[in-house]
Amino acid sequence: MAILKIARMGHPVLLQKAEVVSDPGSEEIRRLARDMIETMHDANGVGLAAPQVHVPLRLFVFRVPPERTSGDPDDQAVELRVLMNPEVEPVGSDVRLRWEGCLSIPGLRGAVARPWRVRYRGIDLEGNEVTAEVTGLHAGVVQHENDHLDGILYPMRMRDFRLFGFTEELARFATPEQRP
Ligand code: NI
């Protein structure tokens, strides 16, 4: 197990389109996933995509902490999930603004409008196909991490840069509707 170095915004690996994982069950991929889980927990993040640790492969890990779920029945806590070669599609037309942060953009948060409900599929570490239809934080994290696989960082999805700032300053000065 190892804690990996996280690429920060400005590093070109974060703008690359990642490659399909061709050997999901291999020891190399299992080790990468284990190290990414350890790195995510060490950094206190809820998600981490392989390009963020300088590996341009279509793989991410995430969790949905119980205290951050929305209360929606399709937004349940998830202790940990590894997803490879994911496909994500919006369900319905409900788009909501949610605050996001990113381990590659430390100290900052921004409000991003994304589909509230998505359906996704992918392969887990055991090689099994995973499918789910989710909302809230779960849907937001999956979309954010999936974007990393296409070289997209959350500020590239933002429309209102007044809703972008340092977490500490937002907590001090933001109006209630701007507050993360
Ligand atoms: Ni991120």
Side-chain angles (χ1 to χ4, degrees), residues 22-79:
S22 56
D23 50 351
S26 71
E27 187 47 44
E28 192 184 351
I29 293 295
R30 298 173 80 87
R31 189 185 319 117
L32 171 65
R34 283 198 300 268
D35 289 347
M36 285 173 60
I37 291 164
E38 192 178 7
T39 304
M40 174 180 74
H41 283 132
D42 176 71
N44 201 25
V46 295
L48 186 67
Q52 292 183 275
V53 292
H54 308 83
V55 179
L57 288 176
R58 304 189 79 77
L59 184 164
F60 60 76
V61 301
F62 70 97
R63 64 193 179 99
V64 180
E67 68 276 12
R68 291 183 57 189
T69 55
S70 57
D72 189 284
D74 289 328
D75 186 21
Q76 299 294 322
V78 175
E79 194 180 329

Side-chain angles (χ1 to χ4, degrees), residues 98-116:
R98 291 183 45 261
W99 285 89
E100 297 188 14
C102 181
L103 295 176
S104 294
I105 313 172
L108 292 161
R109 297 193 83 71
V112 186
R114 295 192 191 267
W116 177 249

